[in-house]
Amino acid sequence: MRQLDGKIAIVTGASSGIGREAALLFAEHGAKLVLVARRRDELERLADEISGNGGDAVAVAGNVAEAETAREAVEVATRQFGGLDVAFNNAGTTGAMVSIPEMTAEMWHEVIATNLTSAFHAAKHQIPAMLTRGGGSLIFTSTFVGHTVGFPGMAAYAASKAGLIGLTQVIAAEYGPQGIRANALLPGGTDTPMGRAVSNTPEALAFVQGLHALKRLATPREIAQSALYLASGMSSFTTGTTLLVDGGVSITRT
Ligand SMILES: NC(=O)c1ccc[n+]([C@@H]2O[C@H](COP(=O)([O-])OP(=O)(O)OC[C@H]3O[C@@H](n4cnc5c(N)ncnc54)[C@H](OP(=O)(O)O)[C@@H]3O)[C@@H](O)[C@H]2O)c1
């Protein structure tokens, strides 16, 4: 059964990895899509692929750290498709993996801007559009890092992603009465360019895989399926949560 028939969705980070896979899956489930990331060519290729499969998708190239990108994405969703029901705010960066004394203030601010301030810009523009449709679903891609696991070298990343959980809870409380749900999705290690960059040698990959109870990384599709759940009516009583989809990385000690 198609879960997003007639729904209009923004997916950020759609040029790669989890976002790309979520865009394809949401389209399979009937959503019309606004695809956001910086690489226009990748977005346009994906939009063509979705259109080729009978779907509807349009690209908005921009930096999610800038308010204008968030404004434009909502404006395009409204102008092109008639509104906004779902926002998968998923774009993110680890930044450089360095110790805190080695981290410059610029490095810190860039990660916070890309991962956390972007979510504020997104919500600020997405919520009013969803209110005019009587509700909607916001999903923020967080991570187990900084929530259940401390990981050396990821201070700004962990802080930004933990910040998303606080933002999620406030949106859920503020807009629940008006039919808007907000949830944080917390993937474990996932086999994407970002996941491969963190595990960039066979030894590092084996180490990271071994941290998970399932002894492997997730496929992007597995994380996209959880995003689909949070986007759709199947999660209609789920709001303000942190959904760990982490292969057991949070509970293993073996
Ligand atoms: N892979 C993992 O192990 C893992 C685990 C937990 C959580 N996550 C989270 O999952 C999300 C998706 O990551 P992924 O694994 O799919 O990584 P990925 O394949 O590297 O994709 C990252 C996406 O974010 C976009 N992006 C990055 N900075 C951006 C910016 N400033 N403005 C606009 N778009 C930007 C990239 O597009 P452009 O380069 O075209 O801008 C790309 O589409 C991230 O938030 C990440 O933190 C990943």
Side-chain angles (χ1 to χ4, degrees):
M1 187 185 144
R2 298 197 338 162
Q3 299 296 338
L4 296 176
D5 258 336
K7 300 292 183 190
I8 301 154
I10 291 171
V11 176
T12 76
S15 61
S16 177
I18 293 167
R20 185 179 194 285
E21 204 59 37
L24 288 165
L25 186 62
F26 286 13
E28 277 172 38
H29 281 267
K32 295 179 173 38
L33 291 164
V34 178
L35 311 171
V36 181
R38 289 164 301 182
R39 283 171 290 169
R40 181 181 297 280
D41 288 356
E42 296 296 331
L43 294 180
E44 286 180 351
R45 254 196 293 280
L46 178 60
D48 287 347
E49 186 176 338
I50 289 170
S51 305
N53 294 333
D56 265 315
V58 58
V60 169
N63 183 345
V64 292
E66 291 169 7
E68 173 55 20
T69 304
R71 191 205 61 76
E72 190 185 351
V74 172
E75 200 256 325
V76 168
T78 306
R79 176 165 36 86
Q80 194 102 350
F81 300 131
L84 182 67
D85 304 297
V86 170
F88 183 29
N89 295 304
N90 162 78
T93 181
T94 57
M97 293 190 53
V98 294
S99 69
I100 293 170
E102 289 171 331
M103 186 176 288
T104 63
E106 289 71 27
M107 287 171 168
W108 170 270
H109 286 307
E110 199 211 324
V111 173
I112 299 292
T114 303
N115 294 353
L116 182 57
T117 309
S118 63
F120 158 69
H121 293 317
K124 183 176 164 65
H125 290 278
Q126 291 162 0
I127 289 168
M130 288 180 181
L131 287 175
T132 67
R133 307 260 293 175
S137 172
L138 293 127
I139 304 145
F140 298 96
T141 307
S142 179
T143 170
F144 67 97
V145 177
H147 184 62
T148 55
V149 175
F151 223 91
M154 304 194 90
Y157 184 70
S160 66
K161 294 293 190 176
L164 289 176
I165 295 171
L167 177 68
T168 297
Q169 292 178 358
V170 171
I171 295 169
E174 248 179 60
Y175 290 98
Q178 287 149 285
I180 292 182
R181 297 183 298 111
N183 291 287
L185 176 58
L186 280 61
T190 307
D191 193 2
T192 65
M194 178 188 288
R196 289 282 167 170
V198 173
S199 308
N200 59 356
T201 64
E203 295 73 29
L205 179 60
F207 173 74
V208 172
Q209 287 171 329
L211 296 173
H212 296 71
L214 296 177
K215 304 301 174 198
R216 64 177 178 83
L217 300 184
T219 65
R221 186 82 174 184
E222 287 175 306
I223 307 302
Q225 284 165 350
S226 297
L228 173 65
Y229 165 72
L230 291 175
S232 76
M234 287 183 74
S235 61
S236 53
F237 204 59
T238 303
T239 195
T241 59
T242 50
L243 178 59
L244 278 164
V245 187
D246 74 349
V249 72
S250 297
I251 53 85
T252 48
R253 295 291 180 276
T254 56

